[in-house]
Amino acid sequence: MSNDEEWLEIESLDLEAQGVARRADGKVVFVEGALPGERVQVRVTRRKAQWEQAVLVALQRESPLRVTPACPHFGLHAGACGGCKMQHLHPSAQVAVKQRVLEDQLWHLGKVRPARVLRPIEGPAWGYRYRARLSVRHVPKKGGVLVGFHERKSSYVADMTTCPVLPPAVSAMLPALRALVGAMDARDRLPQIELAVGEAPGGTVTALVLRHLEPLGEADLGRLRTFAREHGVQWWLQPRGPDSVHRLDDVGSELAYTLPEFGLVMPFRPTDFTQVNHAINRVLVERALRLLDAQPQDRRKLRRAQPVRARRRRAGRARCGRRLARRPAARRRVRARQGARRSAAARGGRLGAAAAHRLRQLQPGDAGARRRAARAPGRLAVQRGGRRQHVPAHRARRKPRGLRPRGFGVGSYRAAM
């Protein structure tokens, strides 16, 4: 055995799914692929003063929580997919590890220990990921186009043909996606495909957002439409930023998230934020409302406990949120206030520009005239930091928000007569 290889006892697991071991001198060693309770032979790959990085070489005592990964692309081998990190650990143990890490972080960072720890919420272990961002690369050396997650600790795209954490229909669609992009004329200008799965009365709706760096030709658009008909998906195109996302064809059901217990159906766009795991999110909402146990009288108590300004702001938001029909009215009021502010700022800016023009017309020696012009309408003398300065009227009359800026004395915003 070389000097870089030795046997260690794994004590715990960190959030990156690395086994944590300690040498006799107290130095911490992070071991990739190892689980708590195992005795492993490791090879050190990186050394630091307080810790070392190592990889698993051999396993002498195996943990009872170790399972066979369901994904053939998971592992420590070269080219392994980096989308998952704990598939070699039993799903229930994964939840326990994450809860323990959260409790440790609360104590180490905030010195807080929870008085009560609720039972963790668990959902389906496979086929739950309703949102994903798949990278796309045209790699002739690997036989064509790759569509999937990045390789482990690499910027390269993993050569994957299936993914158990994605919905089964999407996982089975990966080879067809690779063939589709490989047949497109713009295959070198398509960096990613974003996945969003929503709900519809008849089942689910799958939306694929194609990011393209140059306009797509009619032939490529025809290929996308054919793929959509054959696989029952919606294509959305993103030529620029997130605001440029639009549907290729306005047909089919819209994406929506439902809460049947509360009778809610919330439409969303594929680039909007939604939870990855819809089943877990439903349980979270139900548990949060049950723990809050909100009653009608709680609203009055909360209202009395709030400051006047906060009550006004929250009352306005509550009134707008009672019925969806009131939201457009609230938007119109906000736009009207913003337009009034812009108009006032424009008027003040024109007054200041006129005074500056008068100053430019004077000769350098006309100091007295320059001072008189500075006091012309549209500019006010303001005391700032022990000096009198002339600023546009709309700036002088505006009061500071929050704390007073440093260097401003009492009466700093009083206009000089």
Side-chain angles (χ1 to χ4, degrees):
M1 183 172 57
S2 65
N3 295 332
D4 291 337
E5 296 183 1
E6 54 186 314
W7 292 93
L8 295 174
E9 296 280 347
I10 305 300
E11 301 175 357
S12 60
L13 200 70
D14 68 356
L15 197 55
E16 298 296 324
Q18 299 179 119
V20 181
R22 293 182 183 275
R23 288 206 178 94
D25 58 358
K27 194 172 186 178
V28 177
V29 182
F30 298 99
V31 184
E32 295 183 81
L35 295 177
E38 294 182 337
R39 179 173 173 80
V40 297
Q41 184 183 9
V42 303
R43 182 177 70 254
V44 177
T45 59
R46 189 178 182 186
R47 297 182 185 274
K48 292 290 183 177
Q50 302 296 327
W51 55 272
E52 292 180 356
Q53 188 83 39
V55 295
L56 176 65
V57 175
L59 186 61
Q60 187 182 65
R61 185 176 65 244
E62 185 177 283
S63 170
L65 299 177
R66 180 178 287 275
V67 296
T68 302
C71 180
H73 307 294
F74 176 84
L76 302 178
H77 58 276
C81 176
C84 299
K85 296 182 178 179
M86 294 188 181
Q87 283 197 20
H88 59 305
L89 182 63
H90 191 276
S92 298
Q94 296 180 26
V95 177
V97 167
K98 294 175 182 178
Q99 177 176 332
R100 182 59 181 270
V101 170
L102 173 61
E103 295 175 7
D104 292 343
Q105 295 297 329
L106 287 174
W107 174 247
H108 290 303
L109 299 179
K111 303 302 179 185
V112 176
R113 292 193 186 279
R116 177 187 176 193
V117 179
L118 300 177
R119 180 180 177 180
I121 298 175
E122 297 187 40
W126 309 107
Y128 63 87
R129 193 179 180 103
Y130 276 22
R131 292 195 64 89
R133 183 171 295 174
L134 305 175
S135 297
V136 179
R137 294 292 186 275
H138 179 219
V139 187
K141 293 183 178 180
K142 292 192 175 182
V145 172
L146 303 180
V147 178
F149 298 107
H150 286 279
E151 292 181 358
R152 174 178 158 270
K153 295 186 177 182
S154 172
S155 60
Y156 295 113
V157 179
D159 188 359
M160 50 189 293
T161 57
T162 182
C163 181
V165 299
L166 295 178
V170 179
S171 176
M173 198 188 304
L174 289 179
L177 272 176
R178 295 174 58 164
L180 168 68
V181 178
M184 296 178 66
D185 299 331
R187 57 180 175 269
D188 293 320
R189 307 296 291 169
L190 308 176
Q192 72 179 30
I193 297 175
E194 190 166 352
L195 165 71
V197 178
E199 298 160 358
T204 60
V205 180
T206 302
L208 300 175
V209 183
L210 180 63
R211 178 75 172 97
H212 55 98
L213 304 180
E214 62 183 23
L216 299 179
E218 288 299 325
D220 286 344
L221 295 178
R223 294 184 181 99
L224 293 177
R225 291 187 174 97
T226 302
F227 186 91
R229 288 193 301 268
E230 293 177 352
H231 295 85
V233 300
Q234 296 179 3
W235 278 111
W236 294 63
L237 304 180
Q238 183 182 348
R240 291 178 296 277
D243 295 336
S244 66
V245 173
H246 62 279
R247 288 182 66 167
L248 175 61
D249 294 313
D250 195 9
V251 294
S253 303
E254 63 180 353
L255 294 170
Y257 176 76
T258 62
L259 291 173
E261 184 177 354
F262 306 99
L264 293 178
V265 178
M266 295 171 285
F268 65 91
R269 291 167 60 86
T271 53
D272 293 341
F273 172 78
T274 56
Q275 294 292 338
V276 170
N277 194 323
H278 287 192
I280 290 291
N281 192 56
R282 289 194 188 92
V283 179
L284 284 174
V285 172
E286 188 275 333
R287 176 177 286 189
L289 293 178
R290 186 177 71 250
L291 293 174
L292 287 173
D293 193 21
Q295 302 297 329
Q297 61 270 20
D298 295 336
R299 182 179 178 183
R300 293 191 293 270
K301 295 178 182 178
L302 179 63
R303 181 180 176 85
R304 288 195 296 268
Q306 294 172 348
V308 176
R309 291 183 180 179
R311 287 208 306 266
R312 290 174 181 172
R313 289 196 299 269
R314 287 170 173 79
R317 295 170 188 166
R319 285 194 295 271
C320 295
R322 286 176 189 170
R323 293 180 178 89
L324 295 177
R326 295 191 178 184
R327 292 183 181 177
R331 293 194 186 99
R332 285 197 295 269
R333 288 194 294 270
V334 171
R335 290 169 183 167
R337 288 195 296 268
Q338 292 175 346
R341 290 176 187 147
R342 285 194 294 267
S343 299
R347 288 195 299 271
R350 286 195 295 270
L351 291 173
H357 176 71
R358 287 193 295 273
L359 287 175
R360 286 195 297 269
Q361 301 302 319
L362 299 176
Q363 299 296 325
D366 299 335
R370 187 176 294 276
R371 285 194 297 272
R372 288 191 298 274
R375 297 190 182 92
R379 297 184 71 83
L380 299 177
V382 176
Q383 189 76 17
R384 288 184 175 176
R387 297 181 301 169
R388 291 170 66 86
Q389 301 178 10
H390 298 279
V391 300
H394 72 283
R395 294 185 183 177
R397 296 192 182 101
R398 186 171 56 198
K399 295 183 180 181
R401 296 180 181 178
L403 299 176
R404 182 183 300 144
R406 183 176 297 179
F408 284 30
V410 177
S412 298
Y413 287 86
R414 183 176 64 245
M417 299 301 294

